[in-house]
Amino acid sequence: MEDLMAQCVTCAKDQPMPKEPLMSASFPSCPWERIATDLFELNRKVYLIVTDYYSRWFEIKELRN
């Protein structure tokens, strides 16, 4: 049955995508060695957030252009 489903275009299209495994990372040895960044919108304004993995310090700046 699984072989038949694997060959069926309609069945393959509706199958959930396999999840990628989580990749663990070592804890940074000093501040700002590893950072995370993201963009978000709040009240029609776009912001950039940068977070330091070592100290958990974060900075947020509005992007004007």
Side-chain angles (χ1 to χ4, degrees):
M1 181 75 166
E2 288 182 28
D3 292 336
L4 181 62
M5 287 176 52
Q7 295 175 359
C8 173
V9 176
T10 304
C11 295
K13 180 182 72 171
D14 293 333
Q15 290 294 319
M17 294 295 291
K19 294 181 181 179
E20 293 186 27
L22 293 176
M23 296 174 49
S24 63
S26 60
F27 191 76
S29 59
C30 62
W32 301 104
E33 179 180 42
R34 184 174 297 125
I35 61 170
T37 61
D38 202 358
L39 297 171
F40 67 94
E41 185 176 344
L42 179 65
N43 298 329
R44 296 187 173 186
K45 294 180 181 179
V46 178
Y47 296 88
L48 171 69
I49 182 169
V50 179
T51 306
D52 171 37
Y53 276 110
Y54 183 84
S55 66
R56 306 295 189 220
W57 180 267
F58 63 91
E59 301 213 6
I60 301 174
K61 299 291 180 187
E62 180 183 353
L63 300 178
R64 298 177 191 260
N65 292 333

